[in-house]
Amino acid sequence: MPRTVVIGCGISAAAYLMSASRTLGTVIGVGGPDLWKQIAPTHKMGQPAPLLTGNLLSGPRGFNAPPQPGATPFMLAGNFADLVEYHFRSNTHFQFPGSLVDSIRRLPNGQYEVCGRVWSAKLPIFCDNVIIAVGPGPARPLMVGENGDIGVDVRNLDGYVVGGTEFMSPHWKMPRDEDTRGKTIAVYGGSATAAWVVELAKMRGMNVVRWFTRPGNGGDAWNVDVRFEAAFPAGSRNTEVRESTRDQRAVLKLTNIKIIRPHVGSPFLGLEFVDQTEQVIRLPVDLLVYALGAAHTRDTGIRAMLDRDTQAQLVAYYDRNLAISSRPSLLAVGTGDGSLMIVGSAMCSTAGFGTDMKLQGDPERTLATLARYTDISNTLPPAARPPEGIGMIMAGIEALNDFMPVRATGGAIAVYRRPHGQGLAFHDLAFVWTINFNTSNRTQLAAFLADVTDLPQFAANVAVALIVKLRTRAGNVLGLSNAQVQLIVWTSLCYAHALAALNHDLEAKRLWSDKNHGADRFVDMCVDYMTTEGSHVAYWARHSINC
């Protein structure tokens, strides 16, 4: 019986364990607490449940009515964290919560030695497989200076400078147990997490005097709306924060941080900035919270755990079946034999390995020839696209493991004779699908339609392409309802019949186009017409579907 160590206990780990088809044997879970376990359980996430459960977690798979921002409730962080924990525990045999992994080394016999710590005790584990699902990586460090190249040791600032995740914990307290009410706070970062920090600070009675982010590149380097765009993703989750902080948001260079310890009263911070006009701005605050994102690099995160020999064996796993889109994207990084796999949001930074890595099964190509991992989100509803988002993670892992959201009922079987006189066998004929139309990939949608409908092949292909295109439109922020998907399927059948009646050699034309322009070109032309021609656009609009 093989032994598998899973590093990480969040959504990436749970999704991989639930969708893996290979035998993992005895599964041992190690790692610190999941991110969502560190956040207040009443915190509203950025999406409703169907955009977070995917095809794997138990919960609602779709919407009974067209979902509308502001009317469709968001899932609570506590409910999501409990759901992930339940599935993680259900798919592991042993867990070492609070453990940390220091190193992973492949042994001459092909096994792995995973060395870590549980509290103060060393934890060496020998195993056959390693699944690394540790999230997006270490938090980006707080930097100051004109060029942002001077690191800040926050340990010397008495707890008056904290990271966003730490601040959002229900257990966080001001230094010296001071009352948060009336305290002044500056927030550094232009992400949705930074927006949540601002929201929570106000809920705690704090006064947000400045919310800033660093300048970018190009002509919009100092444009406030552009630099804070990621803080307000589609779905209206952070609309109130956006409206209430117009005067507090700014693009600034943070050049210095000082802690001032007066003889009487509490310490406070002196922040120094430079604005677009090179004007120096000084601001005293009681607290600075920074939420600058996370990433694996050459020296931190996953690469720091792996020995050099194992790193040399790694290849990029990609969407070779084009399940997600017509251009294959990165899905994971692992050894050629799959015994060590790196999955989940670590792929947003390619786990720190750059773009020169060879592709699995195709050593003539490198990772640079693939679509980015984050491009997976372009096939999802707008509200499901935040960087390192849950919907993207689950879609990528489902494609990696060729997962199908279906199970056999056992109610009907067919008996067949095995070849070469090996006796009789049987296979199931009756299945139950638990498909999520808003997060499923093209292959999952096509398999579903092939099993539960009698659509002709061309009509089914049009239906799949229409579902993906319409669920991604800006006007369908939260995706489509189940009834809207049924309408799309019926409309695709009617369109295919009408097109065949007008073109008696339709199949010949379609085959010619597939051979000369690629398998998706003809279907894409049909879908473009069905979503741009005036009468069709009006037809979809009557059913609350925006093109």
Side-chain angles (χ1 to χ4, degrees), residues 238-515:
N238 298 335
T239 298
E240 191 279 329
V241 176
R242 178 174 57 193
E243 297 302 321
S244 65
T245 58
R246 290 189 181 277
D247 296 335
Q248 285 76 38
R249 294 198 303 274
V251 178
L252 300 167
K253 291 181 180 179
L254 179 62
T255 56
N256 197 14
I257 304 174
K258 294 180 180 178
I259 185 164
I260 300 165
R261 302 180 179 91
H263 294 296
V264 179
S266 302
F268 63 93
L269 299 172
L271 306 182
E272 192 170 290
F273 306 94
V274 172
D275 66 11
Q276 186 176 5
T277 65
E278 299 298 323
Q279 183 77 26
V280 176
I281 301 171
R282 294 181 176 88
L283 179 70
V285 294
D286 296 310
L287 187 74
L288 172 66
V289 181
Y290 64 99
L292 305 177
H296 297 274
T297 69
R298 292 180 60 88
D299 305 310
T300 62
I302 290 173
R303 288 192 71 163
M305 290 193 295
L306 296 175
D307 69 285
R308 291 188 178 275
D309 290 341
T310 302
Q311 291 187 35
Q313 299 173 31
L314 297 179
V315 292
Y317 285 73
Y318 65 103
D319 183 19
R320 60 198 314 161
N321 296 324
L322 306 182
I324 294 171
S325 70
S326 57
R327 186 184 175 198
S329 57
L330 172 69
L331 298 178
V333 167
T335 55
D337 61 2
S339 59
L340 183 144
M341 296 295 294
I342 306 168
V343 300
S345 56
M347 294 302 100
C348 293
S349 57
T350 62
F353 289 100
T355 58
D356 295 331
M357 182 178 293
K358 304 297 183 182
L359 302 190
Q360 191 263 343
D362 192 354
E364 300 302 314
R365 297 169 59 202
T366 66
L367 194 154
T369 64
L370 301 177
R372 300 173 303 169
Y373 178 75
T374 51
D375 288 345
I376 295 172
S377 65
N378 294 334
T379 67
L380 302 174
R385 298 180 194 169
E388 302 148 7
I390 293 165
M392 178 181 69
I393 291 169
M394 298 183 76
I397 291 176
E398 288 178 27
L400 172 70
N401 288 332
D402 297 319
F403 175 76
M404 285 291 164
V406 63
R407 60 178 177 82
T409 65
I413 61 173
V415 180
Y416 65 96
R417 189 179 300 279
R418 289 177 172 172
H420 312 300
Q422 296 181 7
L424 299 177
F426 66 90
H427 63 81
D428 288 283
L429 296 176
F431 302 91
V432 173
W433 287 80
T434 55
I435 192 166
N436 188 323
F437 295 119
N438 286 303
T439 63
S440 290
N441 61 49
R442 302 192 303 177
T443 301
Q444 291 168 329
L445 292 169
F448 168 78
L449 293 176
D451 184 52
V452 304
T453 74
D454 57 357
L455 286 177
Q457 182 186 48
F458 174 63
N461 289 341
V462 171
V464 169
L466 266 176
I467 292 170
V468 173
K469 181 164 186 176
L470 290 175
R471 77 186 185 191
T472 63
R473 298 304 87 191
N476 306 316
V477 175
L478 301 179
L480 305 168
S481 69
N482 293 339
Q484 287 173 324
V485 171
Q486 292 174 5
L487 175 72
I488 291 171
V489 173
W490 181 80
T491 304
S492 300
L493 177 61
C494 294
Y495 177 83
H497 283 323
L499 197 62
L502 295 171
N503 298 271
H504 298 294
D505 57 348
L506 177 63
E507 280 303 299
K509 288 182 178 179
R510 189 173 66 82
L511 291 173
W512 181 90
S513 177
D514 289 352
K515 290 179 180 178

Side-chain angles (χ1 to χ4, degrees), residues 172 174-184 204-206 286:
W172 176 84
M174 278 287 293
R176 301 165 32 151
D177 283 339
E178 299 172 50
D179 191 346
T180 59
R181 289 173 294 182
K183 295 293 185 182
T184 56
R204 288 173 172 167
M206 307 179 83
D286 296 310

Side-chain angles (χ1 to χ4, degrees), residues 34 36-37 41 76-88:
D34 176 37
W36 299 104
K37 277 289 186 183
L76 299 181
N79 294 340
F80 181 77
D82 290 344
L83 196 58
V84 170
E85 182 180 38
Y86 166 77
H87 287 295
F88 178 77

Side-chain angles (χ1 to χ4, degrees), residues 2-257:
R3 177 184 294 175
T4 299
V5 169
V6 180
I7 305 171
C9 54
I11 182 60
S12 299
Y16 187 90
L17 293 174
M18 295 177 71
S19 61
S21 57
R22 63 192 180 111
T23 301
L24 298 176
T26 302
V27 179
I28 303 169
V30 299
D34 176 37
L35 167 66
W36 299 104
K37 277 289 186 183
Q38 303 175 51
I39 293 177
T42 56
H43 171 77
K44 293 180 180 179
M45 301 177 71
Q47 302 88 25
L51 298 186
L52 296 169
T53 55
N55 284 308
L56 294 169
L57 302 185
S58 55
R61 288 286 186 267
F63 301 102
N64 294 325
Q68 297 295 329
T72 305
F74 295 114
M75 194 171 191
L76 299 181
N79 294 340
F80 181 77
D82 290 344
L83 196 58
V84 170
E85 182 180 38
Y86 166 77
H87 287 295
F88 178 77
R89 289 183 175 276
S90 298
N91 288 276
T92 53
H93 299 88
F94 303 98
Q95 301 92 30
F96 292 94
S99 54
L100 295 173
V101 173
D102 297 315
S103 64
I104 303 169
R105 181 171 65 97
R106 194 160 198 180
L107 304 174
N109 64 0
Q111 285 192 314
Y112 293 92
E113 180 186 29
V114 179
C115 294
R117 291 164 285 140
V118 179
W119 300 295
S120 59
K122 290 186 177 181
L123 176 69
I125 304 175
F126 296 92
C127 59
D128 304 284
N129 304 296
V130 179
I131 311 301
I132 303 176
V134 293
R140 292 189 176 96
L142 179 62
M143 309 290 284
V144 298
E146 186 72 25
N147 299 314
D149 54 359
I150 302 173
V152 176
D153 189 349
V154 299
R155 294 172 297 181
N156 297 327
L157 296 172
D158 297 1
Y160 291 95
V161 177
V162 296
T165 302
E166 180 183 355
F167 178 80
M168 293 179 69
S169 168
H171 307 296
W172 176 84
K173 294 181 179 180
M174 278 287 293
R176 301 165 32 151
D177 283 339
E178 299 172 50
D179 191 346
T180 59
R181 289 173 294 182
K183 295 293 185 182
T184 56
I185 177 175
V187 179
Y188 184 9
S191 65
T193 302
W196 293 346
V197 167
V198 170
E199 178 185 61
L200 182 58
K202 292 187 173 189
M203 293 171 62
R204 288 173 172 167
M206 307 179 83
N207 180 19
V208 181
V209 295
R210 180 64 67 204
W211 179 11
F212 67 97
T213 190
R214 57 188 177 274
N217 299 311
D220 291 323
W222 295 86
N223 186 305
V224 174
D225 291 335
V226 172
R227 295 297 295 147
F228 281 90
E229 187 175 12
F232 311 112
S236 303
R237 169 61 180 83
N238 298 335
T239 298
E240 191 279 329
V241 176
R242 178 174 57 193
E243 297 302 321
S244 65
T245 58
R246 290 189 181 277
D247 296 335
Q248 285 76 38
R249 294 198 303 274
V251 178
L252 300 167
K253 291 181 180 179
L254 179 62
T255 56
N256 197 14
I257 304 174

